[in-house]
Amino acid sequence: MNLSLSVLIESAKAGKLISFPTDTVPALATIPVQAELIYAAKQRSFDKPLILMAAKAEDLWDYVQGSQREYQTWQKIVNQYWPGALTLVLPASDKIPTVMNPVEPTTIGIRVPNHPVAQIILAQTGPMATTSANLSGQPALETKAAIEAQFPEVLTLESTEYQGLGIPSTVAKWTGNNWQILRQGSIKLDNYGF
């Protein structure tokens, strides 16, 4: 269902499942406490965590926890790569609903997308539970028409092109001392210091 930007944002705040474009692939998104909607729509198993996406890094820091030294390390990476196609998997704070990562609730993936429409939406909704728009195990859908065909219940944005780079974000997990690359995306990194 195609909605105006303002109606889409209000629907998202009310806990509806929405879709919007990002710099990588289009996202399915909802407020974190409604994350089960994403798992149901995608037919996704609960061992695959969701990502918490926000308009700026400051909106995400309350959802993670670490030492002052760790925050400084994370901030350096954030300053270099955000907004952008990098997801950081960090220790989760107790603000993260377990449904975001049921199998390993002690961590959470966070990202700030480099896309003007995503930024506008996230600035008004606050951090959202997100993942790529596709049935689990299938390639990410890259157009609004494809999303509407596969997910007729998902609210979409009228008169907006959804296509991004078509390459998912790079995913890097903090191990306590350095980074472990879980998925190489458009940003090429190594495990040790970026």
Side-chain angles (χ1 to χ4, degrees):
M1 181 188 305
N2 275 312
L3 302 174
S4 69
L5 183 61
S6 61
V7 173
L8 186 85
I9 288 167
E10 289 310 308
S11 299
K13 289 179 182 177
K16 304 285 190 217
L17 187 57
I18 68 165
S19 181
F20 56 81
T22 78
D23 48 341
T24 55
V25 295
L28 289 181
T30 189
I31 56 176
V33 295
Q34 291 290 97
E36 284 183 34
L37 293 175
I38 294 175
Y39 285 100
K42 285 180 60 107
Q43 301 166 23
R44 183 181 177 106
S45 73
F46 284 104
D47 63 349
K48 295 180 178 177
L50 302 177
I51 292 171
L52 193 67
M53 199 177 278
K56 57 188 192 300
E58 293 76 22
D59 295 340
L60 292 166
W61 292 134
D62 285 349
Y63 294 90
V64 298
Q65 59 184 355
S67 67
Q68 185 172 1
R69 181 188 63 79
E70 286 176 315
Y71 273 103
Q72 290 169 343
T73 301
W74 303 338
Q75 187 67 54
K76 284 180 192 168
I77 299 301
V78 163
N79 291 346
Q80 187 172 355
Y81 293 103
W82 282 0
L86 176 64
T87 299
L88 299 178
V89 179
L90 302 177
S93 77
D94 57 10
K95 285 188 76 170
I96 296 290
T98 302
V99 70
M100 291 277 301
N101 191 355
V103 173
E104 196 181 338
T106 59
T107 64
I108 187 66
I110 59 173
R111 183 164 100 82
V112 174
N114 188 14
H115 191 287
V117 174
Q119 289 271 333
I120 290 167
I121 292 169
L122 293 163
Q124 295 185 53
T125 61
M128 299 275 283
T130 66
T131 186
S132 56
N134 57 289
L135 290 175
S136 190
Q138 295 186 9
L141 302 175
E142 294 188 34
T143 65
K144 183 168 53 171
I147 293 166
E148 290 169 342
Q150 190 153 82
F151 300 104
E153 74 281 12
V154 171
L155 306 177
T156 55
L157 195 53
E158 66 187 7
S159 63
T160 298
E161 178 56 50
Y162 268 48
Q163 201 144 4
L165 289 174
I167 303 168
S169 65
T170 297
V171 180
K173 181 177 182 178
W174 179 248
T175 64
N177 297 311
N178 53 32
W179 299 96
Q180 175 188 4
I181 306 305
L182 302 182
R183 177 178 72 198
Q184 284 286 3
S186 57
I187 294 175
K188 300 298 182 209
L189 304 172
D190 63 42
N191 286 333
Y192 297 103
F194 288 36

Coordinates of all heavy atoms in Angstrom, one line a residue, residues 12-93:
A12 N 4.4 3.7 11.1 CA 5.6 3.1 11.7 C 5.6 3.3 13.2 O 5.8 2.3 14.0 CB 6.9 3.6 11.1
K13 N 5.3 4.5 13.6 CA 5.3 4.8 15.1 C 4.2 4.0 15.8 O 4.3 3.6 16.9 CB 5.0 6.3 15.3 CG 6.2 7.2 15.0 CD 5.8 8.6 15.3 CE 6.8 9.6 14.9 NZ 6.3 11.0 15.1
A14 N 3.1 3.7 15.0 CA 2.0 2.9 15.6 C 2.3 1.4 15.6 O 1.4 0.6 16.0 CB 0.7 3.2 14.8
G15 N 3.5 1.0 15.1 CA 3.8 -0.4 15.1 C 3.5 -1.2 13.9 O 3.6 -2.5 13.9
K16 N 3.2 -0.6 12.8 CA 3.0 -1.2 11.5 C 4.3 -1.6 10.8 O 5.3 -1.1 11.1 CB 2.2 -0.4 10.5 CG 0.9 0.1 11.1 CD -0.2 -0.9 11.1 CE -1.5 -0.4 11.5 NZ -2.3 -1.2 12.3
L17 N 4.2 -2.6 9.9 CA 5.4 -3.0 9.2 C 5.5 -2.2 7.9 O 4.5 -2.1 7.1 CB 5.2 -4.5 8.8 CG 6.4 -5.2 8.2 CD1 7.7 -5.1 9.0 CD2 6.1 -6.7 7.9
I18 N 6.6 -1.5 7.8 CA 6.8 -0.6 6.6 C 8.0 -1.0 5.8 O 8.8 -1.9 6.2 CB 7.0 0.9 7.1 CG1 8.3 1.1 7.8 CG2 5.8 1.3 7.9 CD1 8.7 2.5 8.0
S19 N 8.2 -0.4 4.7 CA 9.4 -0.6 3.9 C 9.9 0.8 3.4 O 9.1 1.7 3.2 CB 9.1 -1.5 2.6 OG 10.3 -1.6 1.9
F20 N 11.2 0.9 3.3 CA 11.7 2.2 2.8 C 13.1 1.9 2.1 O 13.7 0.9 2.4 CB 11.9 3.3 3.9 CG 12.7 2.9 5.1 CD1 14.1 2.9 5.1 CD2 12.1 2.5 6.2 CE1 14.8 2.6 6.2 CE2 12.8 2.1 7.4 CZ 14.2 2.2 7.3
P21 N 13.5 2.8 1.2 CA 14.8 2.6 0.6 C 16.0 2.9 1.5 O 15.8 3.7 2.4 CB 14.7 3.6 -0.6 CG 13.8 4.7 -0.1 CD 12.8 4.0 0.8
T22 N 17.1 2.2 1.3 CA 18.3 2.6 2.0 C 19.4 2.7 0.9 O 19.2 2.4 -0.3 CB 18.7 1.5 3.0 OG1 19.3 0.4 2.4 CG2 17.5 1.1 3.9
D23 N 20.7 2.9 1.4 CA 21.8 3.0 0.5 C 22.3 1.6 0.0 O 23.0 1.6 -1.0 CB 23.0 3.7 1.2 CG 23.3 3.2 2.5 OD1 22.4 2.5 3.1 OD2 24.4 3.5 3.1
T24 N 21.8 0.6 0.6 CA 22.2 -0.8 0.2 C 21.1 -1.5 -0.6 O 21.0 -1.5 -1.8 CB 22.7 -1.6 1.4 OG1 21.6 -1.6 2.4 CG2 23.9 -1.0 2.0
V25 N 20.2 -2.1 0.2 CA 19.0 -2.7 -0.4 C 17.8 -2.2 0.4 O 17.9 -1.8 1.6 CB 19.0 -4.3 -0.3 CG1 20.2 -4.8 -1.2 CG2 19.2 -4.8 1.1
P26 N 16.5 -2.2 -0.1 CA 15.4 -1.8 0.6 C 15.2 -2.5 1.9 O 15.5 -3.7 2.0 CB 14.2 -2.0 -0.4 CG 14.9 -2.0 -1.7 CD 16.2 -2.6 -1.5
A27 N 14.6 -1.8 2.9 CA 14.5 -2.4 4.2 C 13.0 -2.7 4.5 O 12.1 -1.9 4.1 CB 15.0 -1.4 5.3
L28 N 12.8 -3.8 5.3 CA 11.5 -3.9 6.0 C 11.8 -3.4 7.4 O 12.9 -3.7 7.9 CB 11.1 -5.4 6.1 CG 10.7 -6.1 4.8 CD1 10.3 -7.6 5.1 CD2 9.5 -5.4 4.2
A29 N 10.9 -2.7 8.0 CA 11.1 -2.1 9.3 C 9.9 -2.0 10.1 O 8.8 -1.9 9.6 CB 11.7 -0.7 9.1
T30 N 10.1 -2.0 11.5 CA 9.0 -1.8 12.4 C 9.7 -1.3 13.7 O 10.9 -1.4 13.9 CB 8.1 -3.0 12.6 OG1 7.0 -2.6 13.4 CG2 8.9 -4.1 13.3
I31 N 8.9 -0.8 14.7 CA 9.5 -0.4 15.9 C 10.0 -1.7 16.6 O 9.5 -2.8 16.4 CB 8.4 0.3 16.8 CG1 7.2 -0.5 17.0 CG2 8.1 1.7 16.2 CD1 6.1 0.1 18.0
P32 N 11.1 -1.6 17.4 CA 11.7 -2.8 17.9 C 10.8 -3.8 18.7 O 10.9 -5.0 18.5 CB 12.8 -2.2 18.9 CG 13.2 -0.9 18.2 CD 11.8 -0.4 17.7
V33 N 9.8 -3.3 19.4 CA 9.0 -4.2 20.2 C 8.0 -5.0 19.3 O 7.4 -6.0 19.7 CB 8.1 -3.5 21.3 CG1 9.1 -2.9 22.4 CG2 7.3 -2.4 20.7
Q34 N 7.9 -4.6 18.0 CA 7.0 -5.3 17.1 C 7.9 -6.2 16.1 O 7.4 -6.6 15.1 CB 6.2 -4.3 16.3 CG 5.1 -3.6 17.1 CD 4.0 -4.6 17.5 OE1 4.0 -5.1 18.6 NE2 3.1 -4.8 16.6
A35 N 9.1 -6.4 16.4 CA 10.0 -7.1 15.5 C 9.5 -8.5 15.0 O 9.9 -8.9 14.0 CB 11.4 -7.3 16.2
E36 N 8.6 -9.1 15.8 CA 8.1 -10.4 15.4 C 7.3 -10.3 14.0 O 7.3 -11.2 13.3 CB 7.1 -10.9 16.4 CG 7.8 -11.5 17.6 CD 6.9 -12.2 18.6 OE1 5.8 -12.7 18.2 OE2 7.2 -12.1 19.8
L37 N 6.8 -9.1 13.7 CA 6.2 -8.9 12.4 C 7.1 -9.1 11.3 O 6.7 -9.7 10.2 CB 5.6 -7.4 12.3 CG 4.5 -7.0 13.3 CD1 4.2 -5.5 13.1 CD2 3.3 -7.8 13.0
I38 N 8.4 -8.8 11.4 CA 9.4 -9.0 10.4 C 9.6 -10.5 10.2 O 9.6 -11.0 9.1 CB 10.7 -8.2 10.7 CG1 10.4 -6.7 10.6 CG2 11.8 -8.6 9.7 CD1 11.6 -5.9 11.0
Y39 N 9.8 -11.2 11.3 CA 10.1 -12.6 11.2 C 8.9 -13.3 10.6 O 9.1 -14.2 9.7 CB 10.3 -13.2 12.6 CG 11.6 -12.9 13.2 CD1 11.8 -11.8 14.1 CD2 12.8 -13.6 12.8 CE1 13.1 -11.6 14.7 CE2 14.0 -13.3 13.4 CZ 14.2 -12.3 14.3 OH 15.4 -12.0 14.8
A40 N 7.7 -12.9 10.9 CA 6.5 -13.6 10.3 C 6.4 -13.3 8.8 O 6.2 -14.2 8.0 CB 5.2 -13.1 11.0
A41 N 6.6 -12.0 8.4 CA 6.4 -11.7 7.0 C 7.5 -12.3 6.2 O 7.2 -12.8 5.0 CB 6.5 -10.1 6.9
K42 N 8.7 -12.4 6.7 CA 9.8 -13.0 5.9 C 9.9 -14.5 6.0 O 10.7 -15.1 5.3 CB 11.2 -12.4 6.4 CG 11.4 -11.0 5.9 CD 12.7 -10.5 6.5 CE 13.9 -11.2 6.0 NZ 14.8 -10.5 5.0
Q43 N 9.1 -15.1 6.9 CA 9.2 -16.5 7.2 C 10.7 -16.8 7.6 O 11.3 -17.8 7.1 CB 8.8 -17.4 6.0 CG 7.4 -17.1 5.5 CD 7.1 -17.7 4.2 OE1 7.7 -18.6 3.7 NE2 6.0 -17.1 3.5
R44 N 11.2 -16.0 8.5 CA 12.6 -16.0 8.9 C 12.7 -16.8 10.2 O 11.9 -16.6 11.1 CB 13.0 -14.6 9.1 CG 14.5 -14.3 9.4 CD 14.7 -12.8 9.6 NE 16.0 -12.4 10.0 CZ 16.9 -11.9 9.2 NH1 16.6 -11.7 7.9 NH2 18.1 -11.5 9.7
S45 N 13.7 -17.6 10.4 CA 13.9 -18.3 11.6 C 14.5 -17.3 12.7 O 15.2 -16.3 12.3 CB 14.9 -19.5 11.4 OG 16.2 -19.0 11.3
F46 N 14.2 -17.6 13.9 CA 14.6 -16.7 15.0 C 16.1 -16.7 15.3 O 16.6 -15.9 16.1 CB 13.8 -16.9 16.3 CG 12.4 -16.4 16.2 CD1 11.4 -17.3 16.0 CD2 12.2 -15.1 16.3 CE1 10.1 -16.8 15.9 CE2 10.9 -14.6 16.3 CZ 9.8 -15.5 16.1
D47 N 16.9 -17.5 14.6 CA 18.3 -17.5 14.8 C 19.0 -16.5 13.9 O 20.3 -16.4 13.9 CB 18.9 -18.9 14.6 CG 18.8 -19.5 13.2 OD1 18.0 -18.9 12.4 OD2 19.4 -20.5 12.9
K48 N 18.3 -15.8 13.1 CA 18.8 -14.7 12.3 C 18.4 -13.4 12.9 O 17.3 -13.0 12.8 CB 18.3 -14.8 10.9 CG 18.8 -16.1 10.2 CD 18.3 -16.2 8.8 CE 18.8 -17.4 8.1 NZ 18.3 -17.6 6.7
P49 N 19.3 -12.6 13.5 CA 19.0 -11.4 14.2 C 18.6 -10.3 13.2 O 19.0 -10.3 12.0 CB 20.2 -11.1 15.0 CG 21.3 -11.8 14.3 CD 20.8 -13.0 13.7
L50 N 17.9 -9.3 13.8 CA 17.6 -8.1 13.0 C 18.6 -7.0 13.3 O 19.4 -7.1 14.3 CB 16.2 -7.6 13.4 CG 15.1 -8.7 13.1 CD1 13.7 -8.1 13.6 CD2 15.0 -9.1 11.7
I51 N 18.6 -5.9 12.6 CA 19.5 -4.8 12.7 C 18.6 -3.6 13.3 O 17.5 -3.4 12.9 CB 20.1 -4.4 11.4 CG1 21.1 -5.5 11.0 CG2 20.8 -3.1 11.5 CD1 21.6 -5.3 9.6
L52 N 19.2 -2.9 14.2 CA 18.6 -1.6 14.7 C 19.2 -0.5 13.9 O 20.4 -0.3 13.9 CB 18.9 -1.4 16.2 CG 18.1 -0.4 16.9 CD1 16.7 -0.8 16.9 CD2 18.7 -0.1 18.3
M53 N 18.4 0.2 13.1 CA 18.8 1.3 12.2 C 18.3 2.6 12.8 O 17.2 2.7 13.3 CB 18.2 1.0 10.8 CG 18.9 1.7 9.7 SD 18.2 1.3 8.1 CE 19.1 -0.3 7.7
A54 N 19.1 3.6 12.6 CA 18.7 5.0 13.1 C 19.3 6.0 12.2 O 20.1 5.8 11.3 CB 19.2 5.2 14.5
A55 N 18.8 7.3 12.4 CA 19.2 8.4 11.6 C 20.6 8.9 11.9 O 21.3 9.4 11.1 CB 18.2 9.5 11.7
K56 N 21.1 8.7 13.2 CA 22.4 9.1 13.6 C 22.9 8.2 14.7 O 22.1 7.6 15.4 CB 22.4 10.6 13.9 CG 21.5 11.0 15.0 CD 21.5 12.5 15.2 CE 20.8 13.0 16.4 NZ 19.4 12.7 16.6
A57 N 24.2 8.2 14.8 CA 24.9 7.3 15.8 C 24.4 7.6 17.2 O 24.2 6.7 18.0 CB 26.4 7.4 15.8
E58 N 24.2 8.9 17.6 CA 23.7 9.2 18.9 C 22.4 8.6 19.3 O 22.2 8.3 20.5 CB 23.6 10.8 19.0 CG 24.9 11.5 18.9 CD 25.4 11.6 17.4 OE1 24.7 11.5 16.5 OE2 26.7 11.8 17.3
D59 N 21.6 8.3 18.3 CA 20.3 7.6 18.6 C 20.5 6.1 19.0 O 19.6 5.5 19.5 CB 19.4 7.7 17.4 CG 19.0 9.1 17.0 OD1 19.1 10.0 17.9 OD2 18.6 9.3 15.9
L60 N 21.7 5.6 18.7 CA 21.9 4.1 18.9 C 22.7 3.8 20.2 O 22.7 2.7 20.6 CB 22.6 3.5 17.7 CG 21.8 3.5 16.4 CD1 22.6 3.2 15.2 CD2 20.7 2.5 16.5
W61 N 23.5 4.8 20.7 CA 24.4 4.4 21.8 C 23.7 3.9 23.0 O 24.3 3.1 23.8 CB 25.3 5.6 22.1 CG 26.3 6.0 21.1 CD1 26.5 7.2 20.6 CD2 27.1 5.1 20.3 NE1 27.5 7.2 19.6 CE2 27.9 5.9 19.4 CE3 27.3 3.8 20.3 CZ2 28.8 5.4 18.6 CZ3 28.3 3.2 19.4 CH2 29.0 4.0 18.6
D62 N 22.5 4.3 23.3 CA 21.8 3.7 24.5 C 21.4 2.3 24.4 O 21.1 1.6 25.3 CB 20.4 4.5 24.7 CG 20.7 5.9 25.4 OD1 21.8 6.1 25.8 OD2 19.7 6.7 25.4
Y63 N 21.5 1.7 23.1 CA 21.1 0.4 22.9 C 22.3 -0.6 22.9 O 22.1 -1.8 22.7 CB 20.4 0.2 21.5 CG 19.1 1.0 21.5 CD1 19.0 2.3 21.1 CD2 17.9 0.3 21.9 CE1 17.8 3.0 21.1 CE2 16.7 1.0 21.8 CZ 16.6 2.3 21.5 OH 15.4 3.0 21.5
V64 N 23.5 -0.1 23.1 CA 24.7 -0.9 23.3 C 25.4 -0.6 24.6 O 25.1 0.5 25.2 CB 25.6 -0.7 22.1 CG1 25.0 -1.1 20.8 CG2 26.2 0.7 22.0
Q65 N 26.3 -1.4 25.0 CA 27.0 -1.2 26.2 C 28.5 -1.6 26.1 O 28.8 -2.6 25.4 CB 26.4 -1.9 27.4 CG 26.3 -3.4 27.3 CD 25.5 -4.0 28.4 OE1 25.1 -3.4 29.4 NE2 25.3 -5.3 28.3
G66 N 29.4 -0.8 26.7 CA 30.8 -1.2 26.6 C 31.6 -0.2 27.5 O 31.0 0.7 28.2
S67 N 32.8 -0.4 27.6 CA 33.7 0.4 28.4 C 33.9 1.7 27.7 O 33.6 1.9 26.5 CB 35.0 -0.3 28.6 OG 35.8 -0.4 27.4
Q68 N 34.5 2.7 28.4 CA 34.8 4.0 27.7 C 35.7 3.8 26.6 O 35.6 4.4 25.5 CB 35.3 5.0 28.8 CG 35.5 6.3 28.2 CD 35.9 7.3 29.3 OE1 36.0 7.0 30.5 NE2 36.1 8.6 28.9
R69 N 36.7 2.9 26.7 CA 37.7 2.6 25.7 C 37.0 2.0 24.5 O 37.3 2.4 23.3 CB 38.8 1.7 26.2 CG 39.9 1.4 25.2 CD 40.8 0.3 25.6 NE 40.2 -1.0 25.8 CZ 39.8 -1.9 24.9 NH1 40.1 -1.6 23.6 NH2 39.2 -3.0 25.1
E70 N 36.1 1.1 24.7 CA 35.3 0.5 23.6 C 34.5 1.6 22.9 O 34.5 1.6 21.6 CB 34.4 -0.6 24.1 CG 35.2 -1.9 24.5 CD 34.4 -3.0 25.0 OE1 33.5 -2.6 25.9 OE2 34.5 -4.1 24.6
Y71 N 33.8 2.4 23.6 CA 33.0 3.5 23.0 C 33.9 4.3 22.1 O 33.5 4.7 21.0 CB 32.3 4.3 24.0 CG 30.9 3.7 24.4 CD1 30.7 3.1 25.6 CD2 29.8 3.9 23.6 CE1 29.5 2.6 26.0 CE2 28.6 3.4 23.9 CZ 28.4 2.7 25.1 OH 27.2 2.2 25.5
Q72 N 35.1 4.7 22.6 CA 36.0 5.5 21.8 C 36.4 4.8 20.5 O 36.5 5.4 19.4 CB 37.2 5.9 22.6 CG 36.9 6.8 23.7 CD 38.1 7.0 24.7 OE1 39.0 6.2 24.8 NE2 38.0 8.1 25.5
T73 N 36.7 3.5 20.6 CA 37.0 2.7 19.4 C 35.9 2.6 18.4 O 36.0 2.8 17.2 CB 37.4 1.2 19.8 OG1 38.5 1.3 20.7 CG2 37.8 0.4 18.6
W74 N 34.7 2.4 19.0 CA 33.5 2.3 18.1 C 33.2 3.7 17.4 O 32.9 3.7 16.2 CB 32.3 1.9 18.9 CG 32.4 0.6 19.6 CD1 33.3 -0.4 19.3 CD2 31.7 0.1 20.7 NE1 33.1 -1.5 20.1 CE2 32.2 -1.2 21.0 CE3 30.6 0.6 21.5 CZ2 31.6 -1.9 22.1 CZ3 30.1 -0.1 22.5 CH2 30.6 -1.4 22.8
Q75 N 33.4 4.7 18.2 CA 33.1 6.1 17.6 C 34.1 6.4 16.5 O 33.7 7.0 15.5 CB 33.3 7.1 18.7 CG 32.8 8.5 18.3 CD 31.3 8.6 18.0 OE1 30.5 8.3 18.9 NE2 31.0 9.1 16.9
K76 N 35.3 6.0 16.6 CA 36.3 6.2 15.5 C 35.8 5.5 14.2 O 35.8 6.1 13.1 CB 37.7 5.6 15.8 CG 38.4 6.5 16.8 CD 39.8 5.9 17.1 CE 40.5 6.5 18.2 NZ 41.6 5.8 18.7
I77 N 35.3 4.3 14.3 CA 34.8 3.6 13.1 C 33.5 4.3 12.6 O 33.4 4.5 11.4 CB 34.5 2.1 13.5 CG1 35.7 1.4 14.0 CG2 33.8 1.4 12.3 CD1 36.8 1.3 13.0
V78 N 32.7 4.7 13.5 CA 31.4 5.4 13.1 C 31.7 6.7 12.4 O 31.1 7.0 11.4 CB 30.6 5.6 14.4 CG1 29.5 6.7 14.2 CG2 30.0 4.3 14.9
N79 N 32.7 7.4 12.9 CA 33.1 8.7 12.3 C 33.6 8.5 10.8 O 33.4 9.3 10.0 CB 34.2 9.4 13.1 CG 33.6 9.9 14.4 OD1 32.4 10.0 14.6 ND2 34.6 10.3 15.3
Q80 N 34.2 7.3 10.6 CA 34.8 7.0 9.3 C 33.8 6.5 8.3 O 33.9 6.8 7.1 CB 36.0 6.0 9.5 CG 36.7 5.8 8.2 CD 38.0 4.9 8.5 OE1 38.3 4.6 9.6 NE2 38.7 4.6 7.4
Y81 N 32.8 5.7 8.8 CA 32.0 4.9 7.8 C 30.5 5.3 7.9 O 29.7 4.8 7.0 CB 32.2 3.4 8.1 CG 33.5 2.9 7.7 CD1 34.5 2.7 8.7 CD2 33.9 2.8 6.4 CE1 35.7 2.2 8.3 CE2 35.2 2.3 6.0 CZ 36.1 2.0 7.0 OH 37.3 1.6 6.7
W82 N 30.0 6.0 8.9 CA 28.6 6.3 8.9 C 28.4 7.8 8.6 O 29.2 8.6 8.9 CB 28.1 6.1 10.3 CG 27.8 4.6 10.7 CD1 28.0 3.6 9.9 CD2 27.3 4.1 11.9 NE1 27.6 2.4 10.5 CE2 27.2 2.8 11.8 CE3 26.9 4.7 13.1 CZ2 26.7 1.9 12.8 CZ3 26.4 3.9 14.1 CH2 26.3 2.6 14.0
P83 N 27.2 8.1 8.0 CA 26.3 7.1 7.5 C 26.8 6.3 6.3 O 27.6 6.8 5.5 CB 25.1 8.0 7.0 CG 25.7 9.3 6.8 CD 26.8 9.5 7.7
G84 N 26.5 5.1 6.3 CA 27.0 4.2 5.2 C 26.6 2.7 5.4 O 25.9 2.4 6.3
A85 N 27.2 1.9 4.5 CA 26.9 0.5 4.4 C 27.7 -0.4 5.3 O 28.3 -1.4 4.9 CB 27.1 0.1 3.0
L86 N 27.7 0.0 6.6 CA 28.5 -0.8 7.6 C 27.6 -1.0 8.8 O 27.0 -0.1 9.4 CB 29.7 0.0 8.1 CG 30.5 -0.7 9.2 CD1 31.1 -2.1 8.7 CD2 31.6 0.2 9.7
T87 N 27.4 -2.3 9.1 CA 26.6 -2.7 10.3 C 27.6 -3.2 11.4 O 28.5 -4.0 11.1 CB 25.6 -3.9 10.0 OG1 24.7 -3.4 9.0 CG2 24.9 -4.3 11.3
L88 N 27.5 -2.6 12.6 CA 28.4 -3.0 13.7 C 27.6 -3.9 14.6 O 26.5 -3.5 15.1 CB 28.9 -1.8 14.4 CG 29.8 -0.8 13.6 CD1 30.2 0.4 14.4 CD2 31.0 -1.5 13.0
V89 N 28.1 -5.0 15.0 CA 27.5 -5.9 16.0 C 28.2 -5.7 17.3 O 29.4 -6.0 17.4 CB 27.5 -7.4 15.5 CG1 26.9 -8.3 16.6 CG2 26.9 -7.6 14.2
L90 N 27.5 -5.1 18.2 CA 28.1 -4.7 19.5 C 27.3 -5.3 20.7 O 26.2 -5.8 20.5 CB 28.0 -3.2 19.6 CG 28.7 -2.4 18.5 CD1 28.5 -0.9 18.7 CD2 30.2 -2.7 18.4
P91 N 27.9 -5.3 21.9 CA 27.2 -5.8 23.1 C 25.9 -5.0 23.3 O 25.9 -3.8 23.3 CB 28.1 -5.6 24.2 CG 29.5 -5.5 23.6 CD 29.2 -4.8 22.2
A92 N 24.8 -5.7 23.4 CA 23.4 -5.1 23.6 C 23.2 -4.6 25.0 O 23.6 -5.3 25.9 CB 22.4 -6.0 23.1
S93 N 22.5 -3.5 25.1 CA 22.1 -3.0 26.4 C 20.7 -3.7 26.7 O 20.1 -4.3 25.8 CB 22.0 -1.5 26.5 OG 20.8 -1.1 25.8

